[in-house]
Short mmCIF file of all heavy atoms in Angstrom, two decimals:
data_model
loop_
_atom_site.label_atom_id
_atom_site.label_comp_id
_atom_site.label_asym_id
_atom_site.label_seq_id
_atom_site.Cartn_x
_atom_site.Cartn_y
_atom_site.Cartn_z
N ALA E 23 12.58 -21.55 3.64
CA ALA E 23 11.90 -22.58 2.86
C ALA E 23 11.51 -22.02 1.50
O ALA E 23 11.17 -20.86 1.37
CB ALA E 23 10.65 -23.06 3.62
N LEU E 24 11.57 -22.86 0.47
CA LEU E 24 11.36 -22.39 -0.90
C LEU E 24 9.97 -22.78 -1.38
O LEU E 24 9.59 -23.94 -1.38
CB LEU E 24 12.42 -23.00 -1.83
CG LEU E 24 12.39 -22.55 -3.28
CD1 LEU E 24 12.68 -21.06 -3.36
CD2 LEU E 24 13.43 -23.33 -4.09
N ALA E 25 9.20 -21.77 -1.80
CA ALA E 25 7.91 -22.02 -2.42
C ALA E 25 8.05 -21.82 -3.92
O ALA E 25 9.07 -21.36 -4.40
CB ALA E 25 6.86 -21.07 -1.86
N GLN E 26 7.03 -22.17 -4.69
CA GLN E 26 7.09 -21.99 -6.13
C GLN E 26 7.21 -20.53 -6.49
O GLN E 26 6.52 -19.68 -5.93
CB GLN E 26 5.84 -22.59 -6.80
CG GLN E 26 5.80 -24.11 -6.75
CD GLN E 26 4.64 -24.65 -7.53
OE1 GLN E 26 3.74 -23.92 -7.90
NE2 GLN E 26 4.66 -25.94 -7.79
N ASP E 27 8.07 -20.23 -7.45
CA ASP E 27 8.34 -18.85 -7.84
C ASP E 27 7.08 -18.18 -8.36
O ASP E 27 6.40 -18.69 -9.26
CB ASP E 27 9.41 -18.85 -8.94
CG ASP E 27 9.88 -17.45 -9.28
OD1 ASP E 27 9.96 -16.62 -8.35
OD2 ASP E 27 10.16 -17.19 -10.45
N GLY E 28 6.76 -17.03 -7.77
CA GLY E 28 5.64 -16.23 -8.24
C GLY E 28 4.28 -16.71 -7.78
O GLY E 28 3.28 -16.08 -8.07
N GLU E 29 4.22 -17.82 -7.07
CA GLU E 29 2.92 -18.34 -6.64
C GLU E 29 2.37 -17.51 -5.50
O GLU E 29 3.06 -17.21 -4.54
CB GLU E 29 3.07 -19.79 -6.18
CG GLU E 29 1.77 -20.42 -5.74
CD GLU E 29 1.96 -21.82 -5.21
OE1 GLU E 29 3.08 -22.33 -5.32
OE2 GLU E 29 0.99 -22.38 -4.69
N ALA E 30 1.11 -17.10 -5.62
CA ALA E 30 0.47 -16.35 -4.54
C ALA E 30 -0.93 -16.91 -4.35
O ALA E 30 -1.89 -16.43 -4.91
CB ALA E 30 0.40 -14.86 -4.87
N SER E 31 -1.01 -17.99 -3.59
CA SER E 31 -2.28 -18.69 -3.44
C SER E 31 -3.23 -17.91 -2.55
O SER E 31 -2.83 -17.40 -1.51
CB SER E 31 -2.05 -20.08 -2.87
OG SER E 31 -1.45 -19.99 -1.60
N ILE E 32 -4.47 -17.80 -2.96
CA ILE E 32 -5.50 -17.12 -2.18
C ILE E 32 -6.55 -18.14 -1.79
O ILE E 32 -6.91 -19.03 -2.56
CB ILE E 32 -6.15 -15.99 -3.00
CG1 ILE E 32 -5.11 -14.92 -3.32
CG2 ILE E 32 -7.34 -15.39 -2.30
CD1 ILE E 32 -5.63 -13.82 -4.21
N ASP E 33 -6.99 -18.06 -0.57
CA ASP E 33 -8.06 -18.93 -0.09
C ASP E 33 -9.35 -18.50 -0.79
O ASP E 33 -10.08 -17.64 -0.33
CB ASP E 33 -8.20 -18.79 1.43
CG ASP E 33 -9.17 -19.81 2.01
OD1 ASP E 33 -10.04 -20.29 1.27
OD2 ASP E 33 -9.03 -20.10 3.21
N THR E 34 -9.62 -19.09 -1.97
CA THR E 34 -10.72 -18.62 -2.80
C THR E 34 -12.08 -18.84 -2.15
O THR E 34 -13.01 -18.07 -2.38
CB THR E 34 -10.69 -19.31 -4.17
OG1 THR E 34 -10.65 -20.74 -3.98
CG2 THR E 34 -9.46 -18.89 -4.96
N SER E 35 -12.20 -19.86 -1.35
CA SER E 35 -13.49 -20.08 -0.69
C SER E 35 -13.80 -18.94 0.26
O SER E 35 -14.94 -18.51 0.40
CB SER E 35 -13.47 -21.40 0.08
OG SER E 35 -12.49 -21.37 1.10
N LEU E 36 -12.75 -18.42 0.92
CA LEU E 36 -12.94 -17.28 1.82
C LEU E 36 -13.20 -16.01 1.03
O LEU E 36 -14.10 -15.24 1.34
CB LEU E 36 -11.70 -17.11 2.70
CG LEU E 36 -11.71 -15.91 3.65
CD1 LEU E 36 -12.84 -16.06 4.65
CD2 LEU E 36 -10.37 -15.79 4.37
N ALA E 37 -12.41 -15.80 -0.05
CA ALA E 37 -12.56 -14.57 -0.83
C ALA E 37 -13.94 -14.47 -1.46
O ALA E 37 -14.47 -13.38 -1.65
CB ALA E 37 -11.48 -14.51 -1.91
N ALA E 38 -14.52 -15.61 -1.80
CA ALA E 38 -15.82 -15.60 -2.47
C ALA E 38 -16.99 -15.56 -1.49
O ALA E 38 -18.13 -15.40 -1.89
CB ALA E 38 -15.95 -16.83 -3.36
N SER E 39 -16.71 -15.72 -0.22
CA SER E 39 -17.78 -15.79 0.77
C SER E 39 -18.25 -14.40 1.17
O SER E 39 -17.64 -13.39 0.84
CB SER E 39 -17.29 -16.54 2.01
OG SER E 39 -16.42 -15.73 2.76
N ALA E 40 -19.33 -14.37 1.92
CA ALA E 40 -19.86 -13.08 2.39
C ALA E 40 -19.14 -12.62 3.65
O ALA E 40 -19.24 -11.47 4.02
CB ALA E 40 -21.36 -13.21 2.66
N ALA E 41 -18.42 -13.53 4.28
CA ALA E 41 -17.76 -13.21 5.53
C ALA E 41 -16.36 -12.65 5.27
O ALA E 41 -15.68 -13.06 4.35
CB ALA E 41 -17.67 -14.45 6.40
N THR E 42 -15.95 -11.72 6.11
CA THR E 42 -14.59 -11.18 6.00
C THR E 42 -13.76 -11.69 7.17
O THR E 42 -14.29 -11.88 8.27
CB THR E 42 -14.61 -9.64 6.03
OG1 THR E 42 -15.30 -9.20 7.19
CG2 THR E 42 -15.27 -9.07 4.78
N PRO E 43 -12.47 -11.93 6.96
CA PRO E 43 -11.62 -12.37 8.06
C PRO E 43 -11.47 -11.28 9.10
O PRO E 43 -11.69 -10.09 8.83
CB PRO E 43 -10.29 -12.69 7.38
CG PRO E 43 -10.32 -11.95 6.10
CD PRO E 43 -11.75 -11.85 5.68
N ALA E 44 -11.06 -11.67 10.29
CA ALA E 44 -11.05 -10.76 11.43
C ALA E 44 -10.11 -9.58 11.27
O ALA E 44 -10.31 -8.55 11.90
CB ALA E 44 -10.70 -11.54 12.69
N TRP E 45 -9.07 -9.71 10.43
CA TRP E 45 -8.10 -8.62 10.28
C TRP E 45 -8.62 -7.49 9.40
O TRP E 45 -8.08 -6.39 9.42
CB TRP E 45 -6.78 -9.15 9.72
CG TRP E 45 -6.87 -9.88 8.41
CD1 TRP E 45 -6.99 -11.23 8.24
CD2 TRP E 45 -6.84 -9.32 7.10
NE1 TRP E 45 -7.04 -11.55 6.91
CE2 TRP E 45 -6.95 -10.39 6.18
CE3 TRP E 45 -6.74 -8.03 6.60
CZ2 TRP E 45 -6.97 -10.21 4.79
CZ3 TRP E 45 -6.75 -7.83 5.22
CH2 TRP E 45 -6.86 -8.91 4.33
N MET E 46 -9.67 -7.73 8.63
CA MET E 46 -10.23 -6.70 7.76
C MET E 46 -11.16 -5.78 8.53
O MET E 46 -11.81 -6.18 9.50
CB MET E 46 -11.03 -7.32 6.62
CG MET E 46 -10.24 -7.90 5.50
SD MET E 46 -11.35 -8.38 4.15
CE MET E 46 -10.30 -9.50 3.24
N SER E 47 -11.27 -4.56 8.06
CA SER E 47 -12.31 -3.66 8.55
C SER E 47 -13.68 -4.24 8.19
O SER E 47 -13.86 -4.82 7.11
CB SER E 47 -12.15 -2.28 7.92
OG SER E 47 -13.31 -1.49 8.12
N THR E 48 -14.64 -4.07 9.06
CA THR E 48 -16.01 -4.52 8.78
C THR E 48 -16.60 -3.79 7.58
O THR E 48 -17.57 -4.27 6.97
CB THR E 48 -16.91 -4.32 10.00
OG1 THR E 48 -16.89 -2.94 10.38
CG2 THR E 48 -16.44 -5.18 11.17
N GLU E 49 -16.01 -2.66 7.22
CA GLU E 49 -16.51 -1.90 6.07
C GLU E 49 -16.31 -2.67 4.76
O GLU E 49 -17.03 -2.43 3.79
CB GLU E 49 -15.84 -0.53 6.00
CG GLU E 49 -16.22 0.38 7.17
CD GLU E 49 -15.69 1.80 7.01
OE1 GLU E 49 -14.88 2.05 6.09
OE2 GLU E 49 -16.11 2.67 7.81
N VAL E 50 -15.34 -3.57 4.73
CA VAL E 50 -15.13 -4.39 3.53
C VAL E 50 -16.33 -5.30 3.30
O VAL E 50 -16.85 -5.41 2.18
CB VAL E 50 -13.83 -5.20 3.63
CG1 VAL E 50 -13.67 -6.11 2.41
CG2 VAL E 50 -12.62 -4.27 3.76
N GLY E 51 -16.79 -5.94 4.36
CA GLY E 51 -17.96 -6.80 4.25
C GLY E 51 -19.20 -6.03 3.81
O GLY E 51 -20.00 -6.54 3.02
N ASP E 52 -19.34 -4.80 4.29
CA ASP E 52 -20.46 -3.96 3.87
C ASP E 52 -20.39 -3.68 2.37
O ASP E 52 -21.42 -3.68 1.68
CB ASP E 52 -20.46 -2.65 4.65
CG ASP E 52 -20.70 -2.84 6.13
OD1 ASP E 52 -21.26 -3.89 6.52
OD2 ASP E 52 -20.33 -1.95 6.92
N ALA E 53 -19.18 -3.44 1.87
CA ALA E 53 -19.01 -3.18 0.43
C ALA E 53 -19.32 -4.42 -0.38
O ALA E 53 -20.00 -4.35 -1.42
CB ALA E 53 -17.58 -2.71 0.16
#
Side-chain angles (χ1 to χ4, degrees):
L24 184 64
Q26 290 186 346
D27 188 35
E29 181 184 353
S31 61
I32 296 175
D33 188 336
T34 53
S35 62
L36 177 63
S39 74
T42 54
W45 56 266
M46 283 188 198
S47 166
T48 57
E49 294 187 351
V50 176
D52 295 338

